[in-house]
Amino acid sequence: MIHADFSSLLTGLVLTLTAATLIAGGLRRWGMPDGTSILIETLFTRINTWWAMVVLLSLAGLAGRGGVVVLFAILSFAALREFLTLTAKRRADHWVLMFSFFVALPLQYVFVAAGWIGLMTIFIPVYAFLFLPVLAVLRGDTSGFLTRVAETQWGLMLCIFAASHAPALLWLDIPGYSHKAILLIAWLTVVVQGADVAHFVAPRIMGRHRIAPAVPHSRTWEGLVGAVLIGTALGTLLWWITPFNAWQAVLMSAIVSLVGYGGGMVMGAIKRDKGVRDWGHLIPGQGGFIDRLDSVVFSAPVLFHLVRFFWVTGAS
C-alpha cells in the first residue's frame, strides 16, 4: 500500500517531469533544431529514463515490500550480467557464474525479503566471498585465477550486495516512520539522480579541472561541487519524506551525494580499464543499467547503515 506522502511525492515528480519533458522537447525542437547540443540530448534521454524509474518504483510500491524486492532483484540480475560480460572468464568459470546468478543473487534477496538483516549483511562479503574461489579452483584451471575470481567477487559486491541495501531500508524499524520506508528509497533515488545530472552540467558551465588529471575523461572538481550542492539541495527540500529533520537531511544528502559521486568515479575507472564507454546498451542513449545505478550501489549501503545505527532504536 502506497503511503499518502508517497502519493504526494509521486504527484510532484510527475508534474516536474512533465514540465521538464516539455521544456527539453521545446529546446530540442526549436532551440537546437539540428540536434547538435550534447547537453540537451543527454538531458532529454535522462528525463525519459526518470519516467521509467518513477513508473517502476510506483508499480513496485503498489505491490508492497515484495514488489520492491523483486524490482531490485531484477535490476541486480541485469547489472551483474553487464558487469560479468566485461570481465575475464574461461570455460572453467561456468560453475562460478551459475553460483553467482542462481544461488548468491536469489539467496541475498530472500534474506532481504525475510527481513534477516544480519544474514543479509554478511552472506556475500563473508560466505560467498570465501566459497566462490573454492568453487573456482575445483575446476582445476589456475590461469588468471586471481583476476577471474576477484572480478566476480567485485560483481557480487556491487551488483547484488550493495544494491540490495536499497530495498533493505523497508525493514528498518524507525520510530515514527512505520510503513513509510519506501519514501526513503525514493529520496535516495532523487538525490543521487539529481547529483548525477549536476555532475554532467556543472563542468559545462563553470569549466573543467580534472580531479585526476592523468586519467583521460575523469570527473571534475566542478562536477563534484555541483553534484554535492544539487544533491544536498534536493535532499534538504524533501526532508519531510524522511525520518530526518532539516539539518539532518542536509548532512545525509551531502554524504549520499559525495559517496554516489565517488561511486561514479570508480565505475568509470573500471570502464576505462576495460576499454568501453558504457556498461551496456539496454537504455537508449544512457548505456546500461550500471550506468544509471553506479551512484545508488555505492550510496545505498552507506545510507542504510547510517539510518540503522542512528535512527533505529536498539540498533548496534
Side-chain angles (χ1 to χ4, degrees):
M1 180 178 180
I2 290 185
H3 192 273
D5 286 342
F6 186 82
S7 298
S8 299
L9 175 64
L10 179 61
T11 300
L13 289 175
V14 168
L15 292 174
T16 300
L17 287 178
T18 300
T21 301
L22 293 174
I23 293 171
L27 290 172
R28 190 186 192 194
R29 182 172 181 179
W30 294 293
M32 300 290 178
D34 58 353
T36 58
S37 171
I38 297 177
L39 179 61
I40 297 301
E41 287 299 320
T42 300
L43 289 178
F44 193 83
T45 53
R46 294 251 177 136
I47 290 169
N48 291 334
T49 303
W50 296 334
W51 275 114
M53 289 181 179
V54 169
V55 170
L56 288 174
L57 190 57
S58 300
L59 292 175
L62 284 171
R65 288 178 171 179
V68 177
V69 172
V70 169
L71 171 62
F72 277 90
I74 293 172
L75 293 176
S76 282
F77 186 94
L80 184 64
R81 179 181 175 276
E82 289 178 351
F83 189 96
L84 294 182
T85 297
L86 297 181
T87 60
K89 290 291 173 284
R90 296 170 64 87
R91 289 176 60 87
D93 294 317
H94 179 72
W95 288 0
V96 169
L97 294 176
M98 293 290 288
F99 170 79
S100 300
F101 283 102
F102 302 112
V103 178
L105 191 153
L107 274 181
Q108 178 72 5
Y109 280 96
V110 165
F111 298 151
V112 174
W116 297 343
I117 301 301
L119 190 53
M120 181 211 83
T121 56
I122 65 171
F123 169 61
I124 286 179
V126 177
Y127 299 110
F129 189 93
L130 296 175
F131 175 72
L132 192 144
V134 174
L135 184 62
V137 79
L138 288 176
R139 299 303 301 270
D141 186 350
T142 58
S143 178
F145 181 80
L146 183 59
T147 298
R148 288 159 41 211
V149 170
E151 288 182 338
T152 305
Q153 289 171 327
W154 257 88
L156 295 182
M157 287 295 293
L158 292 175
C159 302
I160 304 176
F161 176 72
S164 69
H165 282 74
L169 289 166
L170 297 173
W171 275 264
L172 293 182
D173 186 15
I174 306 170
Y177 202 67
S178 179
H179 308 298
K180 295 170 63 176
I182 191 171
L183 291 169
L184 203 50
I185 299 176
W187 179 86
L188 170 65
T189 304
V190 170
V191 170
V192 296
Q193 287 299 313
D196 197 40
V197 170
H199 120 75
F200 176 78
V201 174
R204 288 162 175 78
I205 297 175
M206 298 186 292
R208 304 180 184 213
H209 293 84
R210 304 247 175 230
I211 295 176
V215 180
H217 309 296
S218 62
R219 294 196 172 193
T220 65
W221 289 108
E222 291 83 0
L224 173 60
V225 172
V228 173
L229 288 179
I230 296 300
T232 302
L234 289 172
T236 303
L237 287 172
L238 293 174
W239 69 270
W240 53 275
I241 68 170
T242 72
F244 320 134
N245 60 34
W247 74 264
Q248 290 169 340
V250 172
L251 182 60
M252 293 295 286
S253 53
I255 292 173
V256 165
S257 301
L258 187 60
V259 173
Y261 193 84
M265 291 181 64
V266 170
M267 301 308 286
I270 295 175
K271 286 192 293 185
R272 284 188 289 275
D273 178 54
K274 294 300 179 181
V276 298
R277 178 181 176 85
D278 297 312
W279 284 100
H281 304 285
L282 291 176
I283 305 175
Q286 292 295 298
F289 283 100
I290 300 180
D291 292 293
R292 296 279 61 81
L293 293 175
D294 52 6
S295 299
V296 174
V297 297
F298 271 74
S299 56
V302 174
L303 176 64
F304 175 87
H305 288 290
L306 286 175
V307 172
R308 184 185 180 197
F309 285 116
F310 293 106
W311 276 270
V312 175
T313 303
S316 60

